[in-house]
Amino acid sequence: MSDAEGDDVAASATIPSSTGHMDLNTAIQEVLKTSLIHDGLARGLHECTKALDKRQAHLCVLANNCDEQNYVRLIEALCAEHGINLIKVESNKKLGEWVGLCKLDKEGKARKVVGCSCVVVKDYGKESQALDVLNEYFKTRK
């Protein structure tokens, strides 16, 4: 029984260190999820360009595998013009899953994922460690 208790302590000791060193994709995922819960996301080209033009955006996430180059140029130009942080992710299907454009089955796995090439965060919802990780990333990038 003491062996099991020791394993539990070791496992709980590694949890804070893993959350303390959160990677960028996990941080993006958590920020998008929190923002989705607080109704602070704009998804798709039309909604994103409106939010970027009105300067309501705090963060823009763009997929690398977007087919339309004019789409990418427009979003990049709007972000640069208004000084909005832009971050790129590898897949539009992953981005679509992260922002809730999918159906969930009984096990909680994503099914019928709709690709989303651009997402704008208009409201972070609440302060979190993931948001701090993103802010640190943008500070070191500048």
Side-chain angles (χ1 to χ4, degrees), residues 62-79:
L62 187 64
N64 275 334
N65 65 344
C66 180
D67 295 334
E68 188 63 43
Q69 287 304 312
N70 290 333
Y71 186 109
V72 174
R73 276 191 243 132
L74 173 66
I75 298 298
E76 287 175 346
L78 285 171
C79 287

Side-chain angles (χ1 to χ4, degrees), residues 70-135:
N70 290 333
Y71 186 109
V72 174
R73 276 191 243 132
L74 173 66
I75 298 298
E76 287 175 346
L78 285 171
C79 287
E81 180 183 341
H82 300 308
I84 296 164
N85 292 326
L86 174 68
I87 195 160
K88 293 189 177 184
V89 295
E90 69 278 351
S91 168
N92 58 357
K93 292 287 185 184
K94 272 287 188 217
L95 188 57
E97 182 181 339
W98 291 350
V99 297
L101 295 176
C102 62
K103 297 278 185 188
L104 298 177
D105 63 7
K106 293 176 186 175
E107 291 84 36
K109 302 214 184 216
R111 302 281 181 228
K112 297 184 180 179
V113 179
V114 177
C116 182
S117 293
C118 185
V119 176
V120 166
V121 177
K122 298 187 287 186
D123 179 19
Y124 287 121
K126 62 180 181 179
E127 295 291 323
S128 66
Q129 182 184 3
L131 182 56
D132 294 338
V133 169
L134 280 179
N135 287 335

Side-chain angles (χ1 to χ4, degrees), residues 29-40:
Q29 212 171 340
E30 286 190 26
V31 166
L32 290 175
K33 184 178 178 182
T34 305
S35 185
L36 178 65
I37 291 169
H38 292 279
D39 197 31

